[in-house]
């Protein structure tokens, strides 16, 4: 699975959009970009994933550049409860063997300020 | 659906003792994963089951660690002769092998182990 690079930490004002970047310059054509987050003392929580097209769900939007070498997770209206470590992970979305594990980096600590 | 359940939530033990953790996955999820997380780091993969078959083990899983999923439902992770370096959060996740399931892993709240 390709490696990802994320900033160590970011701040965001409550009610504003939080834009979390991720670089994955070695991503392969069949690798998806997944985002998880981990609120303090809880297990990681799935947010969103995508391959090429931009994606949106009830939690967030995912913008993937045309060359797929980077992506941005957008939380449109951040709240204090969005304070967490956000992990960007690239992996093959297949059903075979070693591709099933998630390889986490150290993620980005997003601090939402009141 | 009650989510992935892990017990106990916290375990304090003395060095050299054996400990066992239990994970109950989401009902009907055929895949189950164990991860370990130390302070300030992201979770690290330990092992993975599809039904009752253990299909992959990380090199992190030393001989003192053993995991089972005897009937393809709940799983146990045992650590023998615990060492202080085993102190960590042990996370369990489960997923479903169906295209619509999108290969999403759902995590439990973890078991925090402290070895004194």
């Amino acid at each position: 699975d390709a490696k990802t690079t994320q900033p160590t930490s970011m701040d965001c004002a409550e009610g504003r959009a939080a834009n979390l970047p991720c670089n994955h310059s070695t991503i392969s054509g069949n690798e998806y970009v997944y985002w998880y987050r981990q609120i303090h003392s809880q297990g990681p929580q799935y947010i969103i994933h995508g391959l090429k097209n931009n994606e949106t769900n009830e939690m967030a939007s995912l913008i993937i550049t045309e060359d797929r070498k980077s992506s941005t997770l957008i939380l449109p209206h951040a709240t204090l409860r969005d304070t967490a470590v956000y992990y960007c992970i690239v992996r093959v979305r297949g059903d075979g063997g070693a591709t099933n594990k998630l390889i986490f980096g150290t993620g980005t600590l997003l601090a939402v300020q009141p | 659906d009650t989510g992935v359940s892990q017990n106990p939530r916290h375990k304090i033990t003395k060095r050299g003792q054996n400990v066992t953790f239990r994970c109950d996955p989401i009902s009907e999820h055929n895949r189950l994963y164990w991860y370990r997380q130390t302070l300030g780091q992201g979770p690290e993969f330990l092992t993975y089951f599809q039904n009752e078959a253990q299909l992959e083990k990380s090199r992190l899983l030393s001989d003192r660690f053993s995991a089972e999923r005897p009937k393809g439902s709940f799983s146990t992770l045992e650590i023998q002769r615990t060492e202080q370096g085993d102190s960590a959060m042990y996370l369990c996740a489960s997923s479903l092998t169906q295209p619509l399931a999108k290969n999403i892993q759902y995590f439990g709240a973890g078991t925090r182990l402290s070895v004194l």
Side-chain angles (χ1 to χ4, degrees):
Chain A
D1 294 326
K3 182 177 174 167
T4 62
T5 305
Q6 299 178 253
T8 303
S9 63
M10 294 181 63
D11 287 346
C12 177
E14 189 177 19
R16 304 297 294 267
N19 296 285
L20 291 94
C22 179
N23 286 323
H24 31 79
S25 58
T26 60
I27 193 169
S28 301
N30 60 347
E31 286 183 314
Y32 287 70
V33 180
Y34 282 76
W35 284 83
Y36 282 73
R37 74 178 182 184
Q38 188 171 24
I39 295 169
H40 183 61
S41 296
Q42 297 183 22
Q45 175 191 24
Y46 166 81
I47 301 173
I48 198 168
H49 76 285
L51 181 63
K52 294 186 216 179
N53 300 322
N54 298 338
E55 302 287 343
T56 295
N57 64 19
E58 64 279 2
M59 290 182 70
S61 294
L62 175 61
I63 309 297
I64 302 174
T65 57
E66 192 170 342
D67 63 8
R68 304 209 321 122
K69 293 185 176 181
S70 66
S71 60
T72 301
L73 178 74
I74 301 173
L75 307 178
H77 306 286
T79 71
L80 298 178
R81 287 176 292 182
D82 292 322
T83 292
V85 177
Y86 288 77
Y87 296 101
C88 169
I89 300 165
V90 294
R91 58 180 293 207
V92 175
R93 206 194 92 177
D95 287 344
T99 61
N100 288 302
K101 60 179 179 265
L102 294 172
I103 301 175
F104 292 83
T106 51
T108 296
L109 173 59
L110 175 68
V112 181
Q113 309 290 346
Chain B
D1 188 348
T2 57
V4 178
S5 176
Q6 291 190 247
N7 288 289
R9 289 295 313 277
H10 299 93
K11 178 72 177 177
I12 300 173
T13 191
K14 293 183 180 177
R15 185 165 54 92
Q17 297 294 304
N18 299 343
V19 293
T20 300
F21 312 138
R22 177 178 170 126
C23 172
D24 288 90
I26 293 172
S27 172
E28 297 182 356
H29 277 196
N30 58 336
R31 290 181 172 165
L32 188 147
Y33 313 78
W34 286 98
Y35 293 82
R36 180 174 71 184
Q37 185 174 26
T38 54
L39 200 60
Q41 302 298 313
E44 297 173 292
F45 170 79
L46 291 178
T47 190
Y48 143 66
F49 291 84
Q50 179 153 318
N51 300 313
E52 64 275 9
Q54 189 173 17
L55 295 187
E56 185 177 354
K57 292 198 294 186
S58 162
R59 278 172 282 183
L60 292 174
L61 215 64
S62 75
D63 291 345
R64 296 184 297 105
F65 288 70
S66 63
E68 293 183 344
R69 195 182 182 200
K71 296 182 181 178
S73 57
F74 74 91
S75 175
T76 57
L77 177 68
E78 181 184 15
I79 308 175
Q80 295 182 327
R81 304 180 304 281
T82 52
E83 302 173 356
Q84 289 184 326
D86 297 331
S87 295
M89 175 76 84
Y90 290 84
L91 293 160
C92 176
S94 69
S95 69
L96 188 59
T97 313
Q98 284 185 7
L100 290 180
K102 304 176 186 177
N103 214 10
I104 295 168
Q105 294 184 23
Y106 296 85
F107 285 80
T111 295
R112 181 167 296 284
L113 173 66
S114 298
V115 182
L116 305 179

